[in-house]
Amino acid sequence: MSINRRRLLALCRKETLQIVRDPSSILIAFIMPVVLLVVMGYAINLDVDHLRLGIWRTDSGAPAVRLEQALRGSTALEIHSGPSKESLLASLARGEIRGLLVIDDGFSRTLAGQGNGTPQALLLTDG
C-alpha cells in the first residue's frame, strides 16, 4: 500500500492548522516535553547511596571474610550485622534493612574447589 503524497500533505496542513488554532495543543506538543525533560533529568535520581544491607556469615574461611570486607568497604552500602539470622530477617521484615546476604558454611571450601558444585550465597531483598 503506497502513501498518496497529496493526501499526506493535506493531512500535515490540517494538523498544523489545528495545532495553531488551539493553544492547549501548543502546550501539549511543545511545552510539556520540555518540562518533563527538566523534571526527569533533575528530579529523578537512580543512583544507589547508603543502601542498608545485613550480612549473616557462618563461614569463617578467607574468601567469605574477604567478601564481607569488600562489601563493608563500599561507599554505597551500609552493612549491618545482628546476633542471629532470625533477628536480621526480622529487621528485613520491619524495613530497617533493604537486603540480607547469607553466607553459609561451605562457601569458602566450594570456592577453593574442595566442595561439590559452585559456591552459593543467598541474597534476600525487600521486594
Side-chain angles (χ1 to χ4, degrees):
M1 178 176 194
S2 66
I3 297 174
N4 187 346
R5 181 178 210 148
R6 186 173 171 191
R7 283 187 178 186
L8 181 62
L9 290 174
L11 181 65
C12 289
R13 182 173 181 267
K14 178 189 80 81
E15 291 297 325
T16 303
L17 289 174
Q18 182 64 32
I19 288 173
V20 171
R21 284 183 194 148
D22 187 13
S24 65
S25 296
I26 293 173
L27 177 73
I28 291 171
F30 299 108
I31 305 299
M32 287 299 292
V34 173
V35 170
L36 288 174
L37 184 66
V38 170
V39 168
M40 298 297 179
Y42 290 105
I44 297 176
N45 185 1
L46 299 176
D47 293 339
V48 176
D49 289 329
H50 306 293
L51 181 68
R52 297 177 313 274
L53 177 70
I55 293 183
W56 178 252
R57 179 178 54 84
T58 57
D59 189 346
S60 60
V65 172
R66 281 196 307 267
L67 175 61
E68 183 178 354
Q69 288 173 347
L71 293 174
R72 285 188 186 277
S74 172
T75 58
L77 299 174
E78 288 180 17
I79 303 298
H80 296 268
S81 298
S84 69
K85 186 176 174 180
E86 288 73 25
S87 69
L88 287 170
L89 285 170
S91 295
L92 181 65
R94 286 190 304 270
E96 296 170 359
I97 58 176
R98 298 299 307 241
L100 173 61
L101 179 65
V102 179
I103 305 172
D104 282 327
D105 287 330
F107 177 82
S108 299
R109 186 174 54 250
T110 307
L111 191 63
Q114 298 169 353
N116 295 333
T118 59
Q120 296 182 354
L122 177 65
L123 179 63
L124 302 170
T125 60
D126 182 13

